[in-house]
Amino acid sequence: MKDCRNLRDYTLEELEALFSERGLPAYRGRQIFKWLTRPFVYSFSQMTDLPKHLREELFGEFSLALPELKDEEISADGTRKLALLLEDKEIIECVIIPEEDHYTLCVSSQVGCAMRCAFCLTARMGFRRNLRPHEIVGQVLRAKEILAKENSVNKKPLRNLVFMGMGEPLANYGNLLKALQILLHPKGFNFSKRRVTVSTVGLIPQMKRLGEDITVKLAISLHAADNETRSRIMPINKRYPLPDLIEACRSYPLPKGWRITFEYVLLAGINDTVEDAQKLAILLRGIPAKVNLIPFNEHPLLPFKCPSETQILRFQEVLLAAGYVATIRKSRGRDISAACGQLASRLAA
Ligand code: SAH
């Protein structure tokens, strides 16, 4: 069995160091890094600008394995859910969302999730394991392959990434950071920092590290405007209470003109009243914020209901009147269980 080191786990700097250590020029690392950003590259023999002996040497030592596409479901609204098989037979899902002039990929960061949010289906799977960098980057490559095969005339680019799939990205901090470094590097995938969003339940220490280590958009799964309600639906709030989370948001190093997105899943009778909206408006005062209201996606296994449309619009109205940018997230791919909080391969299997 080959050494399980996968070259796709390496950042550009690490690849350069790897070659320097072997007495080879660092630019070999850059050449490989570039190859690894291209779809349909599966073997060293395709890397035609590397000397043959080097390709053979690498073949003996490193893997280039990617998650395998196991299944693809296409929603009536064009959203596609991919099921990807990992080397240890675990399955993860990611979702390609068509927008007007681009695609967005909703990326998973873990197999399952340990956060136990009461309204989320992924939580019901429990936590299985963290994804390695190549398994995160691999979702992007598989999505690119699918989109490249499409024979439409005006091809739209895969431009945006949201870390809103299965798992809590900041609970897999080291691997997430590496994957982000690979995906954002101008010599590699070259995703724009403005178009990559990491969503978190609010792991405060890792939020601090993220702010220091890299610039990407931040989204906070807030879901309640008072500490008690939040603890009831999000167990993590007992560890990192709402006031501390808000403080961490206030001190987050945001580039000029950027806002933090606050996600707020609307649950009938739990957090959806006008008073809740008013509390939210006060809570976020002074933070460059954008509120993204997510009507709850119902599921037989989940004990909540989605509020009426009138109730949702009333909630939004309060935030708009208070001067916030507040949008209602359109549910995409609900018919194929690809909508927010519905990714849960083990349950479906
Ligand atoms: N763990 C990270 C990344 C997942 S993002 C986080 O929580 O931010 C997925 C988003 O969908 C989160 O905001 C989550 O709270 C929300 N969500 C989960 N279950 C949902 C459901 N049934 N309906 C609508 N949104 C849901």
Side-chain angles (χ1 to χ4, degrees):
M1 181 69 182
K2 222 193 298 193
D3 190 315
C4 72
R5 283 194 295 174
N6 189 314
L7 264 196
R8 300 182 192 273
D9 284 329
Y10 290 67
T11 62
L12 175 58
E13 290 69 25
E14 288 171 337
L15 282 177
E16 288 177 341
L18 189 79
F19 284 94
S20 302
E21 278 160 25
R22 291 160 175 246
L24 291 166
Y27 73 81
R28 293 291 181 213
R30 292 197 285 279
Q31 282 176 308
I32 294 202
F33 189 68
K34 186 89 199 156
W35 279 111
L36 298 184
T37 66
R38 300 196 191 159
F40 308 111
V41 170
Y42 311 120
S43 83
F44 291 105
S45 61
Q46 290 169 274
M47 304 182 183
T48 44
D49 55 357
L50 299 182
K52 193 146 182 276
H53 67 85
L54 178 58
R55 286 188 252 158
E56 279 162 8
E57 194 182 311
L58 291 171
F59 174 76
E61 271 181 69
F62 294 98
S63 150
L64 294 175
L66 280 173
E68 290 294 330
L69 182 64
K70 180 104 168 49
D71 193 22
E72 184 190 356
E73 283 176 86
I74 306 184
S75 156
D77 66 22
T79 303
R80 303 159 112 116
K81 184 170 75 169
L82 316 185
L84 300 175
L85 180 67
L86 309 179
E87 284 153 285
D88 59 356
K89 306 282 179 248
E90 293 284 3
I91 289 176
I92 49 166
E93 296 178 329
C94 60
V95 182
I96 304 175
I97 307 158
E99 316 270 7
E100 204 170 313
D101 61 346
H102 67 275
Y103 288 97
T104 296
L105 184 69
C106 180
V107 183
S108 291
S109 55
Q110 300 180 313
V111 186
C113 187
M115 297 297 117
R116 297 186 292 117
C117 299
F119 46 82
C120 181
L121 205 58
T122 309
R124 301 297 169 108
M125 284 175 69
F127 173 68
R128 300 185 60 87
R129 72 170 174 86
N130 281 326
L131 293 185
R132 291 169 58 195
H134 76 271
E135 293 168 327
I136 298 176
V137 173
Q139 297 170 56
V140 176
L141 278 167
R142 290 304 187 195
K144 284 196 165 206
E145 290 180 0
I146 286 179
L147 295 174
K149 279 187 198 146
E150 234 178 37
N151 45 10
S152 84
V153 212
N154 351 320
K155 277 203 173 132
K156 296 186 278 190
L158 174 55
R159 199 189 65 185
N160 294 29
L161 300 178
V162 293
F163 284 78
M164 299 186 183
M166 296 161 83
E168 165 52 43
L170 295 189
N172 183 14
Y173 188 79
N175 291 338
L176 171 82
L177 181 64
K178 267 196 190 171
L180 288 173
Q181 286 166 338
I182 295 169
L183 292 165
L184 291 172
H185 203 289
K187 290 203 166 71
F189 287 89
N190 197 21
F191 278 93
S192 157
K193 55 181 184 282
R194 284 177 198 78
R195 309 206 187 280
V196 174
T197 303
V198 172
S199 180
T200 177
V201 293
L203 305 185
I204 295 175
Q206 289 93 321
M207 280 169 61
K208 295 216 162 94
R209 284 175 72 188
L210 188 73
E212 286 164 12
D213 290 342
I214 200 162
T215 305
V216 287
K217 296 255 162 158
L218 183 67
I220 304 288
S221 287
L222 198 65
H223 306 329
D226 66 84
N227 202 45
E228 201 196 320
T229 309
R230 194 166 194 267
S231 288
R232 206 170 343 132
I233 55 178
M234 300 180 74
I236 193 67
N237 193 65
K238 295 184 189 119
R239 180 121 159 251
Y240 301 116
L242 188 60
D244 299 357
L245 175 58
I246 294 299
E247 195 41 51
C249 290
R250 274 187 211 286
S251 55
Y252 196 80
L254 275 187
K256 238 181 132 181
W258 284 31
R259 300 170 204 265
I260 297 178
T261 299
F262 290 91
E263 296 160 281
Y264 193 103
V265 58
L266 286 160
L267 307 166
I270 307 280
N271 64 0
D272 64 335
T273 62
V274 163
E275 293 78 68
D276 289 315
Q278 286 162 343
K279 265 193 273 175
L280 183 58
I282 292 167
L283 185 70
L284 300 182
R285 209 174 267 165
I287 302 178
K290 181 173 130 185
V291 180
N292 195 200
L293 300 171
I294 317 177
F296 174 63
N297 289 309
E298 296 184 2
H299 189 280
L301 286 175
L302 301 172
F304 299 100
K305 289 267 168 263
C306 182
S308 68
E309 200 181 330
T310 328
Q311 191 72 9
I312 294 172
L313 292 174
R314 219 177 275 156
F315 196 98
Q316 180 190 32
E317 192 46 50
V318 173
L319 295 170
L320 294 175
Y324 289 95
V325 178
T327 51
I328 299 173
R329 188 179 290 178
K330 205 160 57 162
S331 179
R332 309 290 302 265
R334 212 185 319 202
D335 53 339
I336 54 165
S337 293
C340 300
Q342 296 196 320
L343 301 184
S345 55
R346 287 273 155 175
L347 291 173

